[in-house]
Amino acid sequence: MCHHSLIYIERLLVCADICLQPSNWKRIVLGAILLASKVWDDQAVWNVDYCQILKDMVVEDVNELERVFLELIQFNINVQQSAYAKYYFDLRSIAEQHGLTLPIDTLDKKRAKKLEARSQNEEYDKLAEMVESGPVKAISLENLSKRRPSAAVIS
């Protein structure tokens, strides 16, 4: 899940033209972990469960964080096999350089294909849900960034 979280963080930084700052990094990391756990874990944690751990947050704040994060990455939750492999090996190299070991399962072709198929299924489900719900007025990233700053992403 940490690979996916990093991919989502990088996506957010690029798509929304946001920089990690002392004032926002915790919320950005939390948003990425929240999203990655829901997309990639078989038993994802509910937003209310995060509030039990993070006592200063209410469920509405976590919901807003998730919503804004998804909007800013343009609902792009798909992770290509090549992107996952890049992050996997980069993180492993960094860990080894610092004398650390990561409790990570080895990434083989079968596991990589399974991860990519799962990602595509999630993307298809989101698209089908959007089609079923009818037409939605689109908003550009430019408009998103001009809205009032949300406490969910930038504290």
Side-chain angles (χ1 to χ4, degrees), residues 34-155:
L34 176 85
L35 185 58
S37 74
K38 286 188 173 187
V39 173
W40 299 101
D41 285 349
D42 290 331
Q43 299 246 329
V45 178
W46 291 77
N47 290 0
V48 71
D49 296 327
Y50 284 98
C51 297
Q52 293 175 357
I53 298 166
L54 306 166
K55 299 292 185 194
D56 61 334
M57 295 187 77
V58 295
V59 73
E60 292 81 13
D61 191 28
V62 178
N63 292 344
E64 174 78 357
L65 171 64
E66 180 181 17
R67 186 187 61 74
V68 170
F69 200 103
L70 280 165
E71 286 177 355
L72 291 173
I73 65 167
Q74 301 172 359
F75 296 89
N76 182 6
I77 58 171
N78 186 37
V79 175
Q80 296 294 324
Q81 179 179 346
S82 58
Y84 182 88
K86 176 191 177 307
Y87 279 84
Y88 174 86
F89 290 112
D90 286 351
L91 283 173
R92 242 176 115 176
S93 294
I94 292 168
E96 288 171 4
Q97 290 170 4
H98 291 83
L100 303 170
T101 58
L102 296 177
I104 305 173
D105 296 333
T106 304
L107 181 66
D108 57 16
K109 275 189 173 184
K110 182 179 176 182
R111 185 162 183 254
K113 286 183 184 279
K114 182 180 174 184
L115 287 169
E116 187 166 6
R118 188 171 177 188
S119 174
Q120 289 171 349
N121 286 341
E122 292 288 335
E123 195 170 82
Y124 176 80
D125 290 346
K126 281 278 188 201
L127 181 60
E129 186 178 301
M130 288 172 56
V131 169
E132 287 176 9
S133 66
V136 176
K137 182 178 177 185
I139 51 177
S140 70
L141 278 178
E142 185 176 316
N143 290 338
L144 283 174
S145 63
K146 289 181 181 175
R147 294 184 340 183
R148 69 167 175 81
S150 170
V153 175
I154 302 172
S155 56

